[in-house]
Amino acid sequence: MRWRLVVPVKALPRAKTRLAPATGEHRTGLALAFAADTVRAALACAEVDGVLVVTDDALVSAAVRAEGAETVPDTPGGLNRALEQGATAAVGRWPRSGVAALSADLPALRSAELARVLREASRHPRAFLPDAAGIGTTLLAAAPGIPLAPAFGGASRARHRASGAYELALADVDSVRRDVDTGEDLAAAAELGVGPRTAGVLLGVAVGLRRG
């Protein structure tokens, strides 16, 4: 099965506010870098035919388009409404592809690990991958003709499992599970090895901390 990924990205002023204590003025730059690195790695995945980013931020749109993604404008209603909107657009454009919602904050994402996850997801009508904390979700996939039915936010692992989606239990796909909301998450992602945009911003964070 071939896949189209839907990636939701908040407007930068509202993104990654929990990172502020650790990264200060670099917070919005990191949010943009996370999205760009996530999209780059996703598009390099052998199972992926395209990425559709849902955002109403002009800087995000420019950055992800430069990586090769397509964009659709976000509308009010929150994360799951954005994912439903993106999934509808993806199905309308590519009805024979599976659709997968992917978190935009996976700066350490490895294309080969994402491919393993998507190949396993292809075995099920709907499937999801829990995040590194085991509480949330970083990927939710649906086969052609199957509604995505996203229930992201907070304890989404339990909600997706209760909805009938198959929980993917794969070893050695840490980069697909490592989303970043806090300074501790960012440190864990850095240990895995982040993408070039994120690495560049982190260099600026380090310099700023040394000067402080």
Side-chain angles (χ1 to χ4, degrees), residues 126 128 156-165:
R126 282 176 71 239
F128 73 96
S156 62
R157 178 186 187 181
R159 290 194 298 274
H160 285 135
R161 185 191 297 153
S163 76

Side-chain angles (χ1 to χ4, degrees), residues 135-158:
I135 297 170
T137 304
T138 57
L139 180 141
L140 173 68
I146 304 296
L148 187 64
F152 282 79
S156 62
R157 178 186 187 181

Side-chain angles (χ1 to χ4, degrees), residues 95-172:
R96 296 182 180 179
S97 297
V99 175
L102 182 70
S103 296
D105 55 355
L106 300 170
L109 184 63
R110 299 289 183 268
S111 304
E113 293 183 14
L114 177 59
R116 288 189 59 218
V117 173
L118 291 172
R119 284 195 295 269
E120 183 61 24
S122 297
R123 302 173 183 270
H124 310 278
R126 282 176 71 239
F128 73 96
L129 184 74
D131 64 10
I135 297 170
T137 304
T138 57
L139 180 141
L140 173 68
I146 304 296
L148 187 64
F152 282 79
S156 62
R157 178 186 187 181
R159 290 194 298 274
H160 285 135
R161 185 191 297 153
S163 76
Y166 180 84
E167 181 172 336
L168 300 170
L170 294 170
D172 301 322

Side-chain angles (χ1 to χ4, degrees), residues 32-86:
L32 181 60
F34 293 170
D37 284 336
T38 298
V39 166
R40 179 187 292 110
L43 284 168
C45 175
E47 309 298 315
V48 174
D49 280 341
V51 173
L52 190 63
V53 174
V54 185
T55 187
D56 58 6
D57 191 293
L59 286 177
V60 172
S61 292
V64 298
R65 284 177 180 271
E67 298 296 342
E70 298 183 44
T71 61
V72 292
D74 196 0
T75 56
L79 173 59
N80 290 306
R81 175 71 186 99
L83 287 170
E84 289 169 354
Q85 175 187 346

